Amino acid sequence: MCGVPLRVDASMLLLTALVTVLYAALARRQLDLGQLGGYLVALGFVISLLGSVLLHELGHALTARRYGIGVRGITLELLGGYTEMDRDAPSPRVDLLVSLAGPAVSAVLGAAGVAATLALPGGTLAHLLAFQLAVSNVVVAVFNSLPGLPLDGGRALRAAVWALTRDRHLGTEVAGWVGRAVALATLALVVLLTLRRAVAPLAVPLVLLVAVTLWRGAGQSIRMARIGRRLPLVDLARLARPVFPVPSGTPLAEAQRRRAEGVDPAAALAVADAAGRPVALVDPARADAVPPERRPWLAVDAVCRDLAGLPALPVGADGEHVLETLRTHPGAQYVVTAGEDVVGVLHIADLAQLLEPKRKTNT
């Protein structure tokens, strides 16, 4: 849509079913419809609601494109949707405009729904749908404007703190902690409404899921802010492990013994060709899975991966480049190169230890 790839997550089926069941009961009660009629009206409302969510996300996507930020796609899922962009906003102003574009679209749709509700005769199907669309869009606009990540209002708060302090990471962390407060407030509201029996029983799990998702999203934002502060420390020349080459056909046990007796026991084992150039890299996980008694009889080639099939990083790559490569090519090892020469191997566990020294990682 508008040149933006659209994906629909399977979890959207759960939301569709839940809203259809809840709204069908309301439609039957308000319009005196039969069982089938209630479900058809409810399904129509769900389709309209999904269209509103899509327009909300298109507001983000088209505004981002307006300021030169690439958009990878829009995903509709259980809790609404999200827009994936290929990079962060270049300035607080752009971050603010992109973040508020979605709620602005929802607010306009809500206002149109209110106008239609006032214009249509009461007690009709059109009046009921207009009223529910007005309410849902206003709720989406207001809720998304709350000042905590991962909500749109949290991105606006981040932009404001970023503009005041000139520190994007501080803005993200502040908005993340406020997001956690919003999650707790949402949870408290669910408990209160449940005790007062002011919310339908089927809606309680969905609202609880919203609170949990907000908490996790806020936590991820705080984590990424802390990682971002340490990105300047990434130096592949120092971080990459050296390569320890052995000839093709060397028993795995012998290759491991030679490495252990070498200068750096943590070096990356590689298979070299006749000219001594690395052509394949030993996969540590596959090597560790081989029983010790079999290692003297198994050639190291059996637990290798061709270097051509591994993602590569130039030795001069900065932290942002390294993280982008990790996002687009997930893996445990990355070949570090200087021109056509392999100068080392980056282990994801080593990078994680540098960026998150207090976080436990598997080595």
Side-chain angles (χ1 to χ4, degrees), residues 329-345:
H329 299 90
Q333 295 175 296
Y334 297 81
V335 179
V336 179
T337 60
E340 296 183 357
D341 298 326
V342 176
V343 297
V345 176

Side-chain angles (χ1 to χ4, degrees), residues 27-210:
R28 288 195 299 269
R29 187 168 59 252
Q30 295 286 334
L31 302 173
D32 193 24
L33 297 174
Q35 192 85 1
L36 179 60
Y39 281 117
L40 289 176
V41 170
L43 188 58
F45 171 70
V46 169
I47 293 173
S48 300
L49 185 60
L50 294 182
S52 298
V53 173
L54 179 58
L55 291 174
H56 176 106
E57 295 303 326
L58 275 174
H60 293 307
L62 297 181
T63 306
R65 279 188 170 180
R66 166 69 177 78
Y67 290 99
I69 303 173
V71 178
R72 292 174 178 165
I74 292 173
T75 300
L76 300 181
E77 42 130 40
L78 178 62
L79 299 181
Y82 61 88
T83 302
E84 186 179 3
M85 302 171 198
D86 63 8
R87 63 186 178 91
D88 293 327
S91 68
R93 177 176 174 272
V94 173
D95 201 16
L96 179 66
L97 292 174
V98 173
S99 64
L100 294 183
V105 171
S106 295
V108 170
L109 292 174
V114 170
T117 301
L118 296 175
L120 292 169
T124 64
L125 174 60
H127 180 273
L128 179 62
L129 288 175
F131 175 74
Q132 292 299 326
L133 282 174
V135 171
S136 59
N137 277 285
V138 169
V139 169
V140 167
V142 172
F143 185 72
N144 270 282
S145 297
L146 294 176
L149 286 172
L151 299 172
D152 297 332
R155 294 175 60 188
L157 175 61
R158 175 181 64 192
V161 176
W162 181 8
L164 290 173
T165 64
R166 300 182 183 275
D167 186 343
R168 178 187 176 88
H169 303 308
L170 177 61
T172 301
E173 194 162 4
V174 168
W177 282 109
V178 175
R180 284 191 161 179
V182 171
L184 291 176
T186 302
L187 183 61
L189 180 62
V190 173
V191 173
L192 179 62
L193 292 177
T194 302
L195 292 176
R196 294 189 174 185
R197 297 184 179 180
V199 61
L202 282 177
V204 173
L206 179 61
V207 183
L208 285 175
L209 186 57
V210 169

